[in-house]
PDB file of all heavy atoms in Angstrom:
ATOM      1  N   PHE A 148     -30.229 -11.534  -5.827  1.00 86.00           N
ATOM      2  CA  PHE A 148     -30.883 -12.186  -4.685  1.00 86.00           C
ATOM      3  C   PHE A 148     -30.820 -11.296  -3.443  1.00 86.00           C
ATOM      4  O   PHE A 148     -29.770 -10.772  -3.123  1.00 86.00           O
ATOM      5  CB  PHE A 148     -30.162 -13.491  -4.422  1.00 86.00           C
ATOM      6  CG  PHE A 148     -30.669 -14.290  -3.258  1.00 86.00           C
ATOM      7  CD1 PHE A 148     -31.883 -15.017  -3.357  1.00 86.00           C
ATOM      8  CD2 PHE A 148     -29.985 -14.331  -2.051  1.00 86.00           C
ATOM      9  CE1 PHE A 148     -32.362 -15.727  -2.282  1.00 86.00           C
ATOM     10  CE2 PHE A 148     -30.462 -15.037  -0.964  1.00 86.00           C
ATOM     11  CZ  PHE A 148     -31.633 -15.744  -1.067  1.00 86.00           C
ATOM     12  N   PRO A 149     -31.950 -11.132  -2.731  1.00 82.00           N
ATOM     13  CA  PRO A 149     -33.302 -11.707  -2.980  1.00 82.00           C
ATOM     14  C   PRO A 149     -34.242 -10.695  -3.633  1.00 82.00           C
ATOM     15  O   PRO A 149     -35.393 -11.004  -3.877  1.00 82.00           O
ATOM     16  CB  PRO A 149     -33.746 -12.019  -1.559  1.00 82.00           C
ATOM     17  CG  PRO A 149     -33.137 -10.909  -0.755  1.00 82.00           C
ATOM     18  CD  PRO A 149     -31.840 -10.593  -1.386  1.00 82.00           C
ATOM     19  N   LYS A 150     -33.783  -9.445  -3.901  1.00 85.00           N
ATOM     20  CA  LYS A 150     -34.703  -8.405  -4.333  1.00 85.00           C
ATOM     21  C   LYS A 150     -35.279  -8.685  -5.693  1.00 85.00           C
ATOM     22  O   LYS A 150     -36.518  -8.655  -5.890  1.00 85.00           O
ATOM     23  CB  LYS A 150     -33.967  -7.036  -4.346  1.00 85.00           C
ATOM     24  CG  LYS A 150     -34.874  -5.925  -4.724  1.00 85.00           C
ATOM     25  CD  LYS A 150     -34.131  -4.582  -4.744  1.00 85.00           C
ATOM     26  CE  LYS A 150     -34.998  -3.445  -5.196  1.00 85.00           C
ATOM     27  NZ  LYS A 150     -34.242  -2.141  -5.224  1.00 85.00           N
ATOM     28  N   ASP A 151     -34.422  -8.920  -6.726  1.00 87.00           N
ATOM     29  CA  ASP A 151     -34.894  -9.134  -8.070  1.00 87.00           C
ATOM     30  C   ASP A 151     -35.055 -10.576  -8.474  1.00 87.00           C
ATOM     31  O   ASP A 151     -35.622 -10.881  -9.499  1.00 87.00           O
ATOM     32  CB  ASP A 151     -33.937  -8.448  -9.052  1.00 87.00           C
ATOM     33  CG  ASP A 151     -33.854  -6.922  -8.849  1.00 87.00           C
ATOM     34  OD1 ASP A 151     -34.934  -6.362  -8.597  1.00 87.00           O
ATOM     35  OD2 ASP A 151     -32.765  -6.342  -8.897  1.00 87.00           O
ATOM     36  N   TRP A 152     -34.494 -11.443  -7.665  1.00 88.00           N
ATOM     37  CA  TRP A 152     -34.613 -12.888  -7.958  1.00 88.00           C
ATOM     38  C   TRP A 152     -34.717 -13.604  -6.609  1.00 88.00           C
ATOM     39  O   TRP A 152     -33.686 -13.875  -5.936  1.00 88.00           O
ATOM     40  CB  TRP A 152     -33.403 -13.379  -8.743  1.00 88.00           C
ATOM     41  CG  TRP A 152     -33.570 -14.744  -9.314  1.00 88.00           C
ATOM     42  CD1 TRP A 152     -34.725 -15.502  -9.326  1.00 88.00           C
ATOM     43  CD2 TRP A 152     -32.567 -15.567  -9.947  1.00 88.00           C
ATOM     44  NE1 TRP A 152     -34.488 -16.717  -9.914  1.00 88.00           N
ATOM     45  CE2 TRP A 152     -33.175 -16.761 -10.349  1.00 88.00           C
ATOM     46  CE3 TRP A 152     -31.225 -15.351 -10.252  1.00 88.00           C
ATOM     47  CZ2 TRP A 152     -32.441 -17.766 -10.980  1.00 88.00           C
ATOM     48  CZ3 TRP A 152     -30.531 -16.337 -10.897  1.00 88.00           C
ATOM     49  CH2 TRP A 152     -31.115 -17.533 -11.274  1.00 88.00           C
ATOM     50  N   ALA A 153     -35.905 -13.877  -6.197  1.00 87.00           N
ATOM     51  CA  ALA A 153     -36.162 -14.376  -4.837  1.00 87.00           C
ATOM     52  C   ALA A 153     -35.998 -15.882  -4.674  1.00 87.00           C
ATOM     53  O   ALA A 153     -35.866 -16.393  -3.550  1.00 87.00           O
ATOM     54  CB  ALA A 153     -37.533 -13.962  -4.340  1.00 87.00           C
ATOM     55  N   THR A 154     -36.020 -16.640  -5.786  1.00 88.00           N
ATOM     56  CA  THR A 154     -36.169 -18.094  -5.678  1.00 88.00           C
ATOM     57  C   THR A 154     -34.959 -18.943  -6.100  1.00 88.00           C
ATOM     58  O   THR A 154     -35.140 -20.193  -6.243  1.00 88.00           O
ATOM     59  CB  THR A 154     -37.397 -18.552  -6.476  1.00 88.00           C
ATOM     60  OG1 THR A 154     -37.168 -18.222  -7.884  1.00 88.00           O
ATOM     61  CG2 THR A 154     -38.647 -17.849  -6.006  1.00 88.00           C
ATOM     62  N   PRO A 155     -33.832 -18.415  -6.411  1.00 90.00           N
ATOM     63  CA  PRO A 155     -32.749 -19.297  -6.970  1.00 90.00           C
ATOM     64  C   PRO A 155     -32.392 -20.434  -6.048  1.00 90.00           C
ATOM     65  O   PRO A 155     -32.173 -21.559  -6.501  1.00 90.00           O
ATOM     66  CB  PRO A 155     -31.586 -18.368  -7.174  1.00 90.00           C
ATOM     67  CG  PRO A 155     -31.802 -17.194  -6.250  1.00 90.00           C
ATOM     68  CD  PRO A 155     -33.310 -17.033  -6.242  1.00 90.00           C
ATOM     69  N   LEU A 156     -32.311 -20.191  -4.750  1.00 90.00           N
ATOM     70  CA  LEU A 156     -31.894 -21.216  -3.828  1.00 90.00           C
ATOM     71  C   LEU A 156     -33.005 -22.288  -3.677  1.00 90.00           C
ATOM     72  O   LEU A 156     -32.720 -23.487  -3.604  1.00 90.00           O
ATOM     73  CB  LEU A 156     -31.537 -20.671  -2.474  1.00 90.00           C
ATOM     74  CG  LEU A 156     -30.260 -19.772  -2.489  1.00 90.00           C
ATOM     75  CD1 LEU A 156     -30.005 -19.187  -1.084  1.00 90.00           C
ATOM     76  CD2 LEU A 156     -29.036 -20.551  -2.971  1.00 90.00           C
ATOM     77  N   ARG A 157     -34.248 -21.842  -3.672  1.00 91.00           N
ATOM     78  CA  ARG A 157     -35.342 -22.816  -3.597  1.00 91.00           C
ATOM     79  C   ARG A 157     -35.423 -23.627  -4.893  1.00 91.00           C
ATOM     80  O   ARG A 157     -35.742 -24.830  -4.876  1.00 91.00           O
ATOM     81  CB  ARG A 157     -36.650 -22.116  -3.302  1.00 91.00           C
ATOM     82  CG  ARG A 157     -36.656 -21.361  -1.960  1.00 91.00           C
ATOM     83  CD  ARG A 157     -38.079 -20.980  -1.527  1.00 91.00           C
ATOM     84  NE  ARG A 157     -38.018 -20.258  -0.270  1.00 91.00           N
ATOM     85  CZ  ARG A 157     -37.910 -20.825   0.931  1.00 91.00           C
ATOM     86  NH1 ARG A 157     -37.832 -22.146   0.991  1.00 91.00           N
ATOM     87  NH2 ARG A 157     -37.866 -20.105   2.039  1.00 91.00           N
ATOM     88  N   ASP A 158     -35.175 -22.933  -6.022  1.00 91.00           N
ATOM     89  CA  ASP A 158     -35.125 -23.665  -7.273  1.00 91.00           C
ATOM     90  C   ASP A 158     -34.047 -24.720  -7.293  1.00 91.00           C
ATOM     91  O   ASP A 158     -34.239 -25.847  -7.764  1.00 91.00           O
ATOM     92  CB  ASP A 158     -34.930 -22.646  -8.450  1.00 91.00           C
ATOM     93  CG  ASP A 158     -36.084 -21.721  -8.607  1.00 91.00           C
ATOM     94  OD1 ASP A 158     -37.154 -21.993  -8.066  1.00 91.00           O
ATOM     95  OD2 ASP A 158     -35.892 -20.646  -9.251  1.00 91.00           O
ATOM     96  N   LEU A 159     -32.879 -24.353  -6.733  1.00 90.00           N
ATOM     97  CA  LEU A 159     -31.801 -25.296  -6.687  1.00 90.00           C
ATOM     98  C   LEU A 159     -32.139 -26.446  -5.729  1.00 90.00           C
ATOM     99  O   LEU A 159     -31.775 -27.642  -5.983  1.00 90.00           O
ATOM    100  CB  LEU A 159     -30.509 -24.605  -6.204  1.00 90.00           C
ATOM    101  CG  LEU A 159     -29.628 -24.034  -7.287  1.00 90.00           C
ATOM    102  CD1 LEU A 159     -28.449 -23.280  -6.669  1.00 90.00           C
ATOM    103  CD2 LEU A 159     -29.083 -25.128  -8.215  1.00 90.00           C
ATOM    104  N   ASN A 160     -32.817 -26.131  -4.646  1.00 91.00           N
ATOM    105  CA  ASN A 160     -33.214 -27.166  -3.702  1.00 91.00           C
ATOM    106  C   ASN A 160     -34.127 -28.188  -4.392  1.00 91.00           C
ATOM    107  O   ASN A 160     -33.981 -29.412  -4.249  1.00 91.00           O
ATOM    108  CB  ASN A 160     -33.914 -26.507  -2.505  1.00 91.00           C
ATOM    109  CG  ASN A 160     -34.224 -27.498  -1.407  1.00 91.00           C
ATOM    110  OD1 ASN A 160     -33.521 -28.510  -1.222  1.00 91.00           O
ATOM    111  ND2 ASN A 160     -35.327 -27.274  -0.699  1.00 91.00           N
ATOM    112  N   THR A 161     -35.088 -27.650  -5.162  1.00 91.00           N
ATOM    113  CA  THR A 161     -35.981 -28.524  -5.948  1.00 91.00           C
ATOM    114  C   THR A 161     -35.229 -29.352  -6.970  1.00 91.00           C
ATOM    115  O   THR A 161     -35.494 -30.575  -7.119  1.00 91.00           O
ATOM    116  CB  THR A 161     -37.061 -27.661  -6.661  1.00 91.00           C
ATOM    117  OG1 THR A 161     -37.773 -26.868  -5.718  1.00 91.00           O
ATOM    118  CG2 THR A 161     -38.024 -28.531  -7.440  1.00 91.00           C
ATOM    119  N   LEU A 162     -34.275 -28.709  -7.590  1.00 91.00           N
ATOM    120  CA  LEU A 162     -33.469 -29.410  -8.620  1.00 91.00           C
ATOM    121  C   LEU A 162     -32.638 -30.523  -7.995  1.00 91.00           C
ATOM    122  O   LEU A 162     -32.503 -31.620  -8.554  1.00 91.00           O
ATOM    123  CB  LEU A 162     -32.551 -28.376  -9.309  1.00 91.00           C
ATOM    124  CG  LEU A 162     -31.747 -28.858 -10.507  1.00 91.00           C
ATOM    125  CD1 LEU A 162     -32.672 -29.424 -11.610  1.00 91.00           C
ATOM    126  CD2 LEU A 162     -30.877 -27.740 -11.082  1.00 91.00           C
TER     127      LEU A 162
END
Side-chain angles (χ1 to χ4, degrees):
F148 177 77
K150 182 180 178 181
D151 296 320
W152 191 9
T154 62
L156 294 179
R157 298 196 182 279
D158 294 343
L159 270 176
N160 186 31
T161 303
L162 186 59

